[in-house]
Amino acid sequence: MITIDNIKLEESWQYALSDEFQQPYFSKIIQFLHQEEQAGNKIFPSPSLIFNAFNSTPFKKVKVVILGQDPYHNIGQACGLSFSVPDGFPAPPSLKNIFKELNTDIGMNIPTTGNLQKWANQGILLLNAGLTVRAHQANSHKNIGWHKFTDAAIVKLSDQRKGIVFLLWGGFAKKKSSLIDHTKHHVLMTGHPSPLSANRGYWFGNKHFSKTNELLAKQNLTPIDWHL
């Protein structure tokens, strides 16, 4: 299990979030995870992937943020990137609807993989508000302090960077809008891609993917290649 001393974080994120690791709340997160382990509870993702979003997308290279709520809680699915699953796992329902919108928005063929690592490598921070979860219990770690940590990451991006496109999908993500300086960044909001929301007309047709690339192009930044 992780300890404060053995956390391996990409250098620019380590610098940006160094103050957070010294806060009492972060020590309580580590303590809680140790207690879970001692109680025999499985935690997802594996320790090496808890900070995968940060390690995959350095602070200075973030162009887009896609905010999720919670890691997948079934065996093998969680990989530390919001909405993403490893190769070999079928796309969960929300990810299927993301792919459907990509198909209608930019004409992208529905991928055969749900692994979004390619997006992360291009500057998309695939950040879950909570970084761990107990096996088979959704949102079981929502109150242990992770939200304070990931809120701090959003604030650091807002304060120290400029022109990032934040994609906030669903009521939970939309609440994070208050953490972002809208005069410096672009904030696109719509319904959640989950079937419950999408089937009520709150997701499809948002065109967030083409809009994101238009906003990046206006800043002379390389658009995202959404194809997987």
Side-chain angles (χ1 to χ4, degrees):
M1 183 52 68
I2 64 170
T3 67
I4 290 177
D5 293 330
N6 72 7
I7 289 173
K8 293 182 180 179
L9 206 59
E10 185 276 329
E11 185 177 0
S12 60
W13 276 113
Q14 183 76 43
Y15 179 79
L17 296 173
S18 58
D19 290 346
E20 301 305 311
F21 296 119
Q22 311 305 319
Q23 299 299 318
Y25 84 86
F26 197 86
S27 296
K28 291 179 180 179
I29 293 175
I30 301 299
Q31 182 181 12
F32 181 89
L33 294 177
H34 278 300
Q35 291 171 348
E36 288 277 69
E37 185 180 46
Q38 291 169 358
N41 294 319
K42 286 187 176 181
I43 303 301
F44 299 139
S46 63
S48 64
L49 294 176
I50 290 174
F51 298 101
N52 193 23
F54 299 103
N55 291 330
S56 296
T57 313
F59 183 84
K60 296 178 181 179
K61 295 186 178 180
V62 175
K63 297 194 291 189
V64 180
V65 176
I66 297 179
L67 186 68
Q69 185 168 356
D70 200 39
Y72 295 120
H73 55 267
N74 290 326
I75 294 174
Q77 283 186 307
C79 61
L81 304 176
S82 62
F83 295 101
S84 179
V85 290
D87 290 325
F89 284 82
S94 292
L95 187 54
K96 286 182 179 179
N97 284 336
I98 290 172
F99 290 159
K100 288 178 182 177
E101 177 60 23
L102 273 160
N103 176 256
T104 57
D105 184 11
I106 65 168
M108 187 186 88
N109 291 333
I110 301 298
T112 57
T113 180
N115 186 340
L116 306 182
Q117 184 67 48
K118 183 180 176 183
W119 293 2
N121 294 344
Q122 294 180 76
I124 301 180
L125 181 66
L126 295 165
L127 181 64
N128 279 317
L131 298 186
T132 59
V133 68
R134 186 185 299 164
H136 312 302
Q137 296 184 36
N139 277 321
S140 48
H141 288 179
K142 68 179 181 179
N143 294 322
I144 73 169
W146 281 132
H147 289 194
K148 188 170 184 178
F149 181 78
T150 53
D151 281 357
I154 294 170
V155 170
K156 288 289 186 180
L157 286 170
S158 177
D159 289 348
Q160 298 181 19
R161 296 288 314 283
K162 187 176 181 181
I164 295 173
V165 182
F166 289 86
L167 304 181
L168 307 182
W169 301 337
F172 175 84
K174 289 177 183 178
K175 292 178 182 177
K176 304 297 183 179
S177 173
S178 63
L179 302 174
I180 303 162
D181 185 343
H182 290 229
T183 68
K184 294 172 58 182
H185 302 280
H186 308 283
V187 180
L188 303 181
M189 295 187 283
T190 191
H192 196 275
S194 68
L196 180 64
S197 174
N199 293 338
R200 291 178 176 175
Y202 299 132
W203 167 256
F204 294 115
N206 63 69
K207 297 186 181 296
H208 273 195
F209 306 101
S210 59
K211 290 177 180 177
T212 292
N213 278 348
E214 289 170 5
L215 290 167
L216 293 176
K218 287 180 180 178
Q219 302 177 70
N220 295 317
L221 296 173
T222 303
I224 302 299
D225 178 5
W226 298 102
H227 297 79
L228 297 173

